[in-house]
Amino acid sequence: MPTAPGTGKTKFVKDYARTLGREFSKIDLGGLNDPHELRGFHATYLNSRPGHIINALVGCETTNPIILLDEIDKTGTHRGQVQDVFLALLDPDNHGVFIDGYLDIPYDMSTVTWVASANSLEGIRMPLLDRLYVIELPGYSAEQKLAIARDALLPEILGTYGFGFGFGDSVDIPEAVLERLVELNQGDPGLRTLRKWLQSLVTKSLVANLEGIELGLTPNNLASLLGLDDLVERERQVPGSYL
């Protein structure tokens, strides 16, 4: 599942698991370069322990979870060795049998559904890639971002302040301001930066309300309030280039 950061890969897999009524677990692989972290450290080793794979199963308390291998393209300098662990798991000749170095007994993984996420396919070794079914998730359009910001992100952020899932009288962010926020964010295919900006905007608005100050939030002063003047300057110099 290759796509840009912040486009909802983890949420997609969580929703997939929930739809199927199965448990979900995630193994973070970013920067991992020791295959023993996955396979487990033999009981004769100092600080011996089971690996992430077995621990993920234990956490799910089931034999047929959906396990997300997050950022499989960002495994460390010895990523070939790390990715070989999954290559063996997905090898049909092994029938899903896995041996954790700590437990040292074969375990049947054939009922586990593995989903790997990546920002790019370039970091995945070809033998492993050949065993994966690739789904590419596109970035969000401006219309989608606006709808998500208005109907999901803003109510969610307000909810963290105890204002419930709605605008109420707590903060007023006009539609035109949201449109400008999305416009400034158009160079980012995901939602992380948009969420961060919206969080900052809500915080500033609430603080201004508590202090009895009129923030005067408009599309024209939005960039200054968020410290995005450099971004606007680049927008003027190179139209269509924001991030």
Side-chain angles (χ1 to χ4, degrees):
M1 188 182 297
T3 188
T7 48
K9 295 186 291 294
T10 299
K11 187 177 186 304
F12 178 90
V13 181
K14 282 184 177 179
D15 290 343
Y16 173 58
R18 184 170 61 250
T19 300
L20 296 180
R22 294 168 66 179
E23 294 297 321
F24 167 83
S25 184
K26 182 176 77 167
I27 300 176
D28 295 312
L29 299 177
L32 191 147
N33 58 22
D34 186 351
H36 290 95
E37 294 287 344
L38 298 170
R39 290 192 180 116
F41 293 85
H42 195 274
T44 58
Y45 288 15
L46 183 65
N47 296 324
S48 60
R49 61 188 183 275
H52 295 321
I53 293 175
I54 288 295
N55 283 333
L57 280 173
V58 171
C60 290
E61 298 183 349
T62 182
T63 59
N64 69 334
I66 293 176
I67 297 180
L68 172 62
L69 310 173
D70 195 34
E71 297 188 323
I72 197 171
D73 59 323
K74 294 182 180 178
T75 47
T77 55
H78 302 293
R79 63 170 176 258
Q81 297 177 25
V82 172
Q83 293 182 13
D84 280 347
V85 176
F86 302 115
L87 187 62
L89 268 176
L90 299 174
D91 191 334
D93 293 335
N94 288 342
H95 303 290
V97 174
F98 175 76
I99 300 178
D100 181 87
Y102 181 81
L103 301 179
D104 199 25
I105 55 175
Y107 189 90
D108 182 8
M109 293 275 187
S110 61
T111 56
V112 176
T113 297
W114 303 96
V115 181
S117 70
N119 294 332
S120 170
L121 296 179
E122 295 179 359
I124 304 176
R125 297 178 64 224
M126 189 55 65
L128 178 58
L129 188 59
D130 286 343
R131 288 169 169 77
L132 300 176
Y133 181 80
V134 178
I135 302 173
E136 294 194 29
L137 298 181
Y140 298 99
S141 67
E143 293 77 12
Q144 289 172 327
K145 284 186 177 182
L146 179 60
I148 292 171
R150 179 185 60 238
D151 302 331
L153 295 182
L154 187 55
E156 178 185 319
I157 292 169
L158 286 172
T160 64
Y161 287 97
F163 289 99
F165 292 93
F167 290 88
D169 298 325
S170 56
V171 62
D172 179 25
I173 299 183
E175 182 84 1
V177 170
L178 290 177
E179 291 175 356
R180 178 56 175 158
L181 198 67
V182 169
E183 183 180 306
L184 289 170
N185 185 249
Q186 72 173 4
D188 182 1
L191 296 173
R192 288 179 185 170
T193 301
L194 182 62
R195 180 192 293 273
K196 181 179 69 174
W197 289 351
L198 195 56
Q199 175 83 53
S200 177
L201 203 59
V202 169
T203 301
K204 291 179 183 294
S205 298
L206 291 175
V207 170
N209 287 349
L210 291 173
E211 294 179 349
I213 300 173
E214 181 61 41
L215 194 62
L217 182 59
T218 69
N220 293 329
N221 66 7
L222 172 65
S224 296
L225 285 172
L226 294 177
L228 303 177
D229 292 328
D230 291 343
L231 194 65
V232 174
E233 183 61 29
R234 290 202 300 273
E235 176 187 357
R236 294 194 187 99
Q237 295 175 0
V238 186
S241 177
Y242 299 91
L243 291 177

